[in-house]
Amino acid sequence: MTATVTKAQIGAIHALKARAGLDEEAYRDMLETRTGKRSSTALSRAEAIAVIDHLKLVSNRPGHGVEAAPKPARGAQALDGPYAGVCRALWISAWNLGLVRDRTDRALVSFVRRQTGIDHLNWVRDPMDARQAIEALKSWIAREANVVWDLPAAERRSLGLSPARWRKIAVVDAQRRRLHVLGRPADLPQSFHDLSDTELDDLASELGRAIRRSARQGSA
């Protein structure tokens, strides 16, 4: 039997959430991205440990006494703020839609700076700047790839979809349409909406490879 989260772990998660400056939506999106759940009370002990470790990293600021985050990989810029995950997910969506050639954090930072004039040290942590960066990414992706981000809340709830899950489905649906335009219709499962989050991510990556391959062949 899987051990459930303890009260001490829940307390630690919420303390670190406040320390990291996460608003409620960003916090729940982070939980769902990392565990598939949107409430700390639904976590297992192992999941809670993973969330706590992540929150310790994103709240790592001078004077907090938290162990330093690992050095970023080549092309990355240590985007470990509370809003970095959402922005990075949108950037990877753009990559899988064939809109960008460079999927690295460095390219993401450059894009946001060009679009908003905001330095990444602000938008990965400040809620207002983060919202501007996120909306810039979403608007650009919607315009260039016809991604339908906004499903009416009532309809989304009736389908049992969280905002984060709907974003995954919307990207895959846009990829399907994009491949059709490229003359390479995707052979998707009829019920791809029922795939798990991990399966949707894998499907988006697979379709992204097909889109980039088609684009290269078209420009050859």
Side-chain angles (χ1 to χ4, degrees), residues 10 65 106 119 125 130 217:
I10 292 173
R106 189 179 303 279
D119 184 80
R125 295 191 184 280
Q217 291 172 351

Side-chain angles (χ1 to χ4, degrees), residues 108-130:
L108 166 59
V109 167
S110 296
F111 174 86
V112 173
R113 186 182 295 119
R114 287 196 306 271
Q115 294 295 313
T116 68
I118 300 172
D119 184 80
H120 79 281
L121 292 177
N122 290 329
W123 64 256
V124 295
R125 295 191 184 280
D126 181 82
M128 295 298 293
D129 286 346

Side-chain angles (χ1 to χ4, degrees), residues 1 3 6 8 24 50 55 64 79-80 86 97 101 110 120 131 133 177 198 213-214:
M1 182 176 177
T6 67
E24 196 64 23
L55 286 172
H64 280 181
L79 299 185
D80 289 320
V86 176
L97 285 160
R101 295 184 178 181
S110 296
H120 79 281
R131 185 173 299 278
R177 295 193 301 271
T198 299
R213 185 165 55 248
S214 296

